[in-house]
Amino acid sequence: MTLSRRNALLTGPALALAAAIPGVLQAQGAPTPRRGGSVTVHSTGEQRILNPALRASTGVYVIAGKIIEALVDLDAKGDPAPVLATAWKTTPDGKTITFTLREGVKWHDGKPFTSADVQFSAMEMWKKHLNYSTTLQLYLDAVDTPDANTAVFRYSRPMPLDLLLRALADLGYVVPRHVYEGTNLLENPANTAPIGTGPFKFSKYERGQYVIAVRNENYWRPGFPYLDQIIWRFIPDQAAATAAIESGQIHISPEGGLALSDLDRLKKSPKFEVSTRGNEGNAVMNTIEFNFRRKELADRRVREAIVRAIDTNFFCENFLYGFAKPATGPYPSTSPKFFAKDVPSYAFDKKKAEALLDEAGYKRNAKGQRFSLRLVPAPWGEDITLWSTFMQQSLQQVGIGVEIVRYDAAGFLSNVYKDWNFDLATGWHQYRGDPAVSTTVWYRSGSPKGAPWTNQWGWTSDGVDKLIDAAAFEIDPAKRRKLYADLATQINTEIPVWMAAERLLISVTNKNLQNHHNQPRWISSNWADLWLAA
């Protein structure tokens, strides 16, 4: 089954080229793109590694995705689109997937791109080091290279083609074998001075200040990119970043790195677009994570009571300025292939919450208290800080005392996922196109202790584990969707983790920028067709 159907539908060299470039087909009557210019991008903090074949992170993609390319990306509809791979097919048993690679592509140092680069990236980086991909590629046995333009992925268990293609948009970036082979992969200088095949070439990284990439004059897509250069400025202070946006020093803040109150104000300005458009592939869900080692939380009635005691809709409308909405299960509504509508849900109902707590045997004492919990919130995002405080206030109203204990990033990851030193935790789940990529690890038992964003709750379910495993290897798309719908029903019934609110990353874009946010993971994409009006 070959999915790169655009090449068959369009004829002529120009149309065939456009078909391979997500987002470059211009609407009739659209202004002619202007070549040249420099765009400056707000970055909230340094990543310190710019190799997306080693680190799966939107913060890495925002920079490195313009320099290093993946086998596939997404088109405007969210379907897989060719990049370094031009076609793909799978065998009936799902154990062999063959990629036809683009010819005539060169690395920024002039060396040719070949199947050897794909083989090395897949076997040495994606399979061994890349977060989420180590699980995705667990049963990848080999990548054969019968010729320079063919890579044959061989699996010991079935790999659903639709899963692999969606995952490779994030987890399929290819780096040059000749630069990394025989070196310490994690300490190679190319991790901070990347060499890719993309429309922009790495130029400079000034620690604590900026990264610069310049036009790749030998890019394989003739006529692209339009821009001369992109500059990413590190501005962690929200007020300073907002001032830079308003003064025109910054053209875009792509990751929602400004204060929510400023986002609400800037969306009223005619100079900016403040929107979640083009971020549909970056859905984020605020979580309530339960430690089942605490006896009260091991009782399902208590977990339901906690969910019912929190008015998530009020929180989204009044604290997040309407930039979020209540979630209804483990998959966000921006994932239409898997979003499950008919699942158990728990509307805000304080009386029901109180009754459930009473039924579980935790009645109020003379002081009106039932028990107290220790809440550990993640330190990224204003919304998490607000959400943890809102949780505390809401639970106090039903007699549950909450102590909020805050840590830096390392302390949060250690206390929650390694030391299990929490009762409740809250952070983000970022959905990555398919439940098998980043979602099911929150629920399946057996994750190594200390692995971030995995099931470290002390909760196990044989039924859930079996559903997760069955869906991971089911090559029939319709059957996969049914398995994930069944999984959502079981998860919402048991409530091991509650995905409370869903939202998309919010971008603030100067309206002089053209062709922006034209596909669902645009901020991570290559920006070859982005241009700046005079």
Side-chain angles (χ1 to χ4, degrees):
M1 178 172 60
T2 299
L3 297 188
S4 53
R5 59 187 181 278
R6 291 164 193 76
N7 290 341
L9 295 175
L10 299 173
T11 58
L15 288 178
L17 177 65
I21 305 176
V24 303
L25 286 175
Q26 275 186 256
Q28 191 171 8
T32 301
R34 170 179 173 265
R35 295 184 64 81
S38 175
V39 165
T40 303
V41 183
H42 169 220
S43 183
T44 56
E46 285 187 84
Q47 297 299 316
R48 297 189 175 275
I49 186 168
L50 299 177
N51 181 353
L54 285 178
R55 293 289 181 272
S57 163
T58 302
V60 175
Y61 304 148
V62 167
I63 299 175
K66 292 52 180 162
I67 300 167
I68 298 172
E69 295 182 302
L71 289 177
V72 300
D73 200 354
L74 303 182
D75 65 13
K77 294 181 179 179
D79 294 325
V83 184
L84 291 178
T86 59
W88 39 83
K89 61 183 179 181
T90 183
T91 53
D93 64 2
K95 293 184 178 181
T96 302
I97 297 176
T98 301
F99 289 93
T100 301
L101 305 180
R102 192 173 298 280
E103 299 182 26
V105 177
K106 292 187 181 298
W107 295 103
H108 293 155
D109 62 5
K111 304 280 187 175
F113 159 74
T114 73
S115 57
D117 301 305
V118 176
Q119 179 193 57
F120 183 83
S121 298
M123 297 303 296
E124 301 302 322
M125 293 194 180
W126 307 349
K127 182 175 174 65
K128 294 182 179 179
H129 297 287
L130 182 61
N131 49 312
Y132 297 121
S133 185
T134 55
T135 300
L136 177 75
Q137 303 292 2
L138 183 62
Y139 296 101
L140 176 63
D141 289 344
V143 178
D144 297 340
T145 55
D147 59 59
N149 300 307
T150 306
V152 183
F153 284 58
R154 300 198 181 278
Y155 292 90
S156 58
R157 300 192 68 174
M159 169 59 76
L161 183 59
D162 58 336
L163 159 60
L164 183 62
L165 293 175
R166 276 193 295 272
L168 288 180
D170 273 349
L171 306 178
Y173 286 89
V174 183
V175 294
R177 179 174 186 159
H178 65 274
V179 170
Y180 281 93
E181 190 170 34
T183 73
N184 183 327
L185 301 184
L186 301 180
E187 297 182 5
N188 191 298
N191 290 335
T192 52
I195 297 170
T197 59
F200 296 92
K201 298 190 298 184
F202 172 83
S203 175
K204 188 176 183 180
Y205 185 172
E206 190 68 34
R207 288 290 188 190
Q209 297 185 51
Y210 57 81
V211 172
I212 300 176
V214 299
R215 179 204 305 273
N216 176 12
E217 298 288 355
N218 298 311
Y219 189 42
W220 55 266
R221 293 170 174 167
F224 294 91
Y226 294 132
L227 296 173
D228 288 334
Q229 71 174 6
I230 303 175
I231 303 169
W232 293 268
R233 284 182 55 192
F234 304 126
I235 310 177
D237 182 80
Q238 291 181 323
T242 300
I245 281 278
E246 292 188 282
S247 67
Q249 298 175 55
I250 298 289
H251 295 96
I252 179 170
S253 180
E255 297 180 84
L258 306 183
L260 290 165
S261 57
D262 285 329
L263 292 172
D264 188 56
R265 178 174 56 82
L266 290 173
K267 73 181 183 182
K268 301 177 178 68
S269 169
K271 294 170 57 179
F272 308 105
E273 178 181 330
V274 179
S275 174
T276 60
R277 178 175 70 88
N279 289 332
E280 295 85 2
N282 289 303
V284 173
M285 304 174 84
N286 291 98
T287 63
I288 303 175
E289 302 160 36
F290 303 98
N291 190 341
F292 280 64
R293 301 167 190 87
R294 179 71 185 257
K295 68 172 185 175
E296 294 91 342
L297 299 178
D299 191 318
R300 188 210 162 280
R301 293 167 295 185
V302 173
R303 300 194 300 277
E304 181 182 338
I306 287 173
V307 172
R308 287 192 180 277
I310 303 171
D311 189 347
T312 306
N313 187 65
F314 181 89
F315 174 78
C316 292
E317 290 298 323
N318 293 277
F319 290 83
L320 300 186
Y321 295 89
F323 286 118
K325 64 181 181 180
T328 59
Y331 328 126
S333 59
T334 54
S335 179
K337 288 183 173 67
F338 298 105
F339 179 61
K341 298 179 181 178
D342 299 323
V343 293
S345 60
Y346 308 99
F348 171 63
D349 189 334
K350 283 176 59 179
K351 289 184 178 179
K352 178 67 173 176
E354 297 256 17
L356 284 165
L357 292 168
D358 287 344
E359 181 185 326
Y362 301 107
K363 297 184 181 295
R364 291 178 182 265
N365 60 22
K367 295 182 179 180
Q369 294 297 303
R370 301 176 188 273
F371 53 84
S372 294
L373 298 172
R374 187 173 182 272
L375 169 61
V376 179
W380 35 81
E382 180 185 3
D383 58 313
I384 297 176
T385 300
L386 293 170
W387 177 241
S388 61
T389 302
F390 189 73
M391 285 174 60
Q392 179 188 50
Q393 295 171 346
S394 299
L395 295 182
Q396 285 174 342
Q397 292 183 29
V398 295
I400 300 175
V402 176
E403 176 193 9
I404 298 177
V405 183
R406 303 188 187 278
Y407 297 98
D408 61 12
F412 170 78
L413 294 175
S414 178
N415 275 273
V416 174
Y417 298 106
K418 181 181 177 183
D419 300 330
W420 304 328
N421 183 28
F422 72 102
D423 296 324
L424 297 173
T426 183
W428 286 343
H429 161 50
Q430 184 165 358
Y431 183 77
R432 297 181 181 274
D434 190 288
V437 179
S438 61
T439 302
T440 55
V441 293
W442 284 76
Y443 305 103
R444 203 202 183 288
S445 62
S447 295
K449 185 178 182 181
W453 306 294
T454 66
N455 179 358
Q456 301 293 334
W457 330 123
W459 175 79
T460 62
S461 167
D462 289 342
V464 165
D465 285 352
K466 288 176 181 177
L467 274 174
I468 289 171
D469 292 344
F473 304 116
E474 177 53 64
I475 60 176
D476 184 300
K479 291 180 180 178
R480 285 191 81 232
R481 287 194 292 272
K482 176 62 167 60
L483 287 168
Y484 282 123
D486 293 343
L487 178 63
T489 295
Q490 287 206 28
I491 286 170
N492 273 32
T493 299
E494 292 296 322
I495 325 176
V497 175
W498 187 248
M499 302 296 176
E502 69 167 84
R503 62 184 181 81
L504 301 178
L505 296 179
I506 306 162
S507 298
V508 180
T509 311
N510 189 299
K511 288 188 177 179
N512 284 334
L513 281 184
Q514 306 293 312
N515 277 356
H516 63 87
H517 293 89
N518 53 18
Q519 60 115 303
R521 60 183 300 276
W522 181 80
I523 65 174
S524 300
S525 69
N526 63 57
W527 294 8
D529 60 334
L530 181 67
W531 59 280
L532 186 62

